[in-house]
Amino acid sequence: MKLKNGLYNGKELCEMFEIDNNKFKNNVDTYLNKISQYCTIEPIGRGKGRKYIVSDVDEYREYKIDFSIRIDKGKERDVEN
């Protein structure tokens, strides 16, 4: 996938990263955390008018981002039965 610097709305961002739009809407923070490992992404605005600035991208590099890997926000804890 070729990443490009620019200003994108949610739908355009999903198309660029090949993400299901509904999954993105339900897990915006999770997806933004994953994307931020490869570039700088900054949300602007709120609600339907929200845009995202993508910057610090090496546009000549081919990126392969695997969104199937889960991002853990904290350590897993042991559950006693």
Side-chain angles (χ1 to χ4, degrees):
M1 146 188 6
K2 289 266 186 181
L3 300 182
K4 294 184 179 180
N5 294 318
L7 180 66
Y8 301 96
N9 64 26
K11 185 177 180 181
E12 294 168 335
L13 200 66
C14 289
E15 289 173 1
M16 184 167 64
F17 288 104
E18 299 170 1
I19 305 169
D20 180 77
N21 197 21
N22 290 328
K23 288 183 181 180
F24 179 77
K25 288 178 187 178
N26 293 331
N27 301 299
V28 172
D29 291 334
T30 302
Y31 282 107
L32 292 182
N33 285 338
K34 186 71 171 180
I35 293 168
S36 69
Q37 294 175 6
Y38 301 92
C39 61
T40 302
I41 186 161
E42 180 183 343
I44 298 173
R46 293 180 177 219
K48 289 187 177 185
R50 181 175 251 191
K51 303 265 187 198
Y52 302 92
I53 296 175
V54 176
S55 58
D56 298 329
V57 174
D58 180 2
E59 295 185 9
Y60 299 104
R61 180 176 168 205
E62 190 74 30
Y63 290 89
K64 185 151 183 124
I65 302 174
D66 186 6
F67 288 104
S68 65
I69 298 172
R70 189 173 155 220
I71 300 171
D72 292 324
K73 292 186 177 181
K75 293 182 179 179
E76 293 181 21
R77 52 185 183 156
D78 296 329
V79 178
E80 295 181 19
N81 291 332

